[in-house]
C-alpha cells in the first residue's frame, strides 16, 4: 500500500483529508515556516480522531521556525513536547537538529531520541541542509540510532521535485533499505503515483498529496 502522508496545520482539515485518501498525518502548526509543534489541545483532539479512524499521526517537534540549531533551553522545550506526545498516544515524532556547520548535531539528536520513548522517529527536511558530501555519513548515523525514516526533497525547496529526483534516487540507494526515505516537497495528487513508481518508494509526503 502506498502511504500518502499529509502535512496538516492544526486539526481542521484532517477529516476532509482522511476522506480524500490520506493514510498518515504529519501534525504541524505554522506551515509557512516549515512547521512547528502544535498545542496540547490540537494534539489531543487529533489523536482522538486518529485512534477512532485507525490512522497514524506523526507530530512535528520544533519550537520555532528558522534554522535547526538548538540551544539547551530549546532542547528542554522539545523534550517536554516529546513527553506530551507520548502521553497522548502519538504514533511518531518528527524532528532534526544540526550544528552551525549544518552537520548532524549528534549530542542533541541522542538527547531527543532518548526522550522519544519508543515512538517512531522521522528526521525531517533539515536533512536537505546537510552538505551533499556529508549526507551518506548522516544517513548511516541516523540508521544506527533508531531513526525510522528521513523526509527529504533531495535538494533545495526552490527547485521543483522533478529536478531533484536524481539525488533522491542517490539517497534511496545510499539508504540500502536500512532506513526509509520519504520524498516530499512539491508532491501533489497529480504526480504522487508517478514519483512513487520512478523512485520505487512506498511512502510520500506533501500538503496537497490528496485532493480534498
Amino acid at each position: 500500500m502506498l502511504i500518502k502522508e499529509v502535512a496538516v496545520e492544526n486539526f481542521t482539515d484532517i477529516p476532509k483529508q482522511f476522506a480524500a485518501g490520506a493514510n498518515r498525518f504529519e501534525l504541524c502548526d505554522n506551515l509557512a515556516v516549515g512547521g512547528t509543534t502544535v498545542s496540547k489541545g490540537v494534539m489531543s483532539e487529533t489523536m482522538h480522531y486518529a485512534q477512532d479512524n485507525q490512522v497514524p499521526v506523526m507530530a512535528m517537534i520544533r519550537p520555532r521556525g528558522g534554522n535547526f540549531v538548538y540551544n539547551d533551553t530549546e532542547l528542554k522545550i522539545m523534550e517536554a513536547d516529546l513527553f506530551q506526545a507520548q502521553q497522548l498516544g502519538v504514533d511518531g515524532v518528527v524532528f532534526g537538529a544540526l550544528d552551525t556547520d549544518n552537520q548532524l548535531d549528534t549530542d542533541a539528536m541522542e538527547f531527543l531520541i532518548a526522550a522519544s520513548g519508543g515512538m517512531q522517529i522521522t528526521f525531517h527536511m533539515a536533512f536537505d541542509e546537510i552538505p551533499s558530501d556529508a549526507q551518506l555519513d548522516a544517513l548511516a548515523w541516523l540508521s544506527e540510532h533508531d531513526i525510522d525514516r528521513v523526509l527529504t526533497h533531495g535538494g533545495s525547496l526552490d527547485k521543483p521535485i522533478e529536478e531533484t529526483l536524481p539525488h533522491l534516487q542517490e539517497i534511496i540507494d545510499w539508504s540500502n533499505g536500512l532506513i526509509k526515505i520519504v520524498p516530499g516537497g512539491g508532491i501533489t495528487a497529480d504526480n504522487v503515483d508517478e514519483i512513487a513508481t520512478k523512485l520505487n518508494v512506498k511512502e510520500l509526503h506533501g500538503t496537497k498529496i490528496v485532493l480534498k
Side-chain angles (χ1 to χ4, degrees), residues 124-161:
H124 57 42
M125 285 188 185
F127 186 82
D128 294 325
E129 302 288 325
I130 299 171
S132 294
D133 61 1
Q135 288 182 344
L136 177 56
D137 287 342
L139 271 182
W141 191 94
L142 294 170
S143 69
E144 292 166 2
H145 287 80
D146 301 320
I147 305 300
D148 295 279
R149 58 183 68 86
V150 172
L151 175 62
T152 172
H153 183 63
S156 173
L157 279 171
D158 60 7
K159 294 181 179 179
I161 195 158

Side-chain angles (χ1 to χ4, degrees), residues 11-209:
F11 176 77
T12 307
D13 284 342
I14 285 179
K16 289 184 287 185
Q17 298 275 21
F18 179 67
N23 48 14
R24 191 168 71 209
F25 290 102
E26 182 190 82
L27 182 62
C28 310
D29 200 356
N30 297 315
L31 281 173
V33 298
T36 57
T37 308
V38 299
S39 72
K40 180 179 180 180
V42 169
M43 196 178 292
S44 177
E45 188 62 32
T46 298
M47 290 315 302
H48 287 313
Y49 179 89
Q51 289 164 356
D52 286 346
N53 290 279
Q54 298 182 318
V55 58
V57 174
M58 307 291 124
M60 175 70 75
I61 304 296
R62 188 179 176 209
R64 56 165 171 77
N67 65 27
F68 305 102
V69 181
Y70 300 116
N71 61 36
D72 289 345
T73 300
E74 290 170 328
L75 288 171
K76 288 178 182 177
I77 292 169
M78 296 170 78
E79 179 187 44
D81 288 338
L82 286 164
F83 290 160
Q84 177 176 279
Q86 187 176 20
Q87 290 167 1
L88 293 174
V90 172
D91 302 279
V93 286
V94 184
F95 57 76
L98 304 177
D99 64 22
T100 54
D101 295 320
N102 281 338
Q103 304 287 338
L104 282 180
D105 184 339
T106 55
D107 288 342
M109 286 297 299
E110 287 177 348
F111 176 80
L112 296 171
I113 291 165
S116 298
M119 291 183 287
Q120 297 175 45
I121 302 172
T122 301
F123 190 94
H124 57 42
M125 285 188 185
F127 186 82
D128 294 325
E129 302 288 325
I130 299 171
S132 294
D133 61 1
Q135 288 182 344
L136 177 56
D137 287 342
L139 271 182
W141 191 94
L142 294 170
S143 69
E144 292 166 2
H145 287 80
D146 301 320
I147 305 300
D148 295 279
R149 58 183 68 86
V150 172
L151 175 62
T152 172
H153 183 63
S156 173
L157 279 171
D158 60 7
K159 294 181 179 179
I161 195 158
E162 289 75 15
E163 291 183 18
T164 66
L165 288 176
H167 188 53
L168 275 167
Q169 188 63 65
E170 283 186 319
I171 295 169
I172 291 164
D173 292 343
W174 289 343
S175 74
N176 197 30
L178 297 175
I179 188 169
K180 293 174 183 175
I181 305 300
V182 184
I187 297 179
T188 68
D190 293 328
N191 64 15
V192 60
D193 292 325
E194 179 184 0
I195 290 173
T197 299
K198 282 184 176 178
L199 296 175
N200 192 27
V201 293
K202 300 298 184 185
E203 303 184 17
L204 298 101
H205 169 100
T207 58
K208 300 176 181 178
I209 203 168

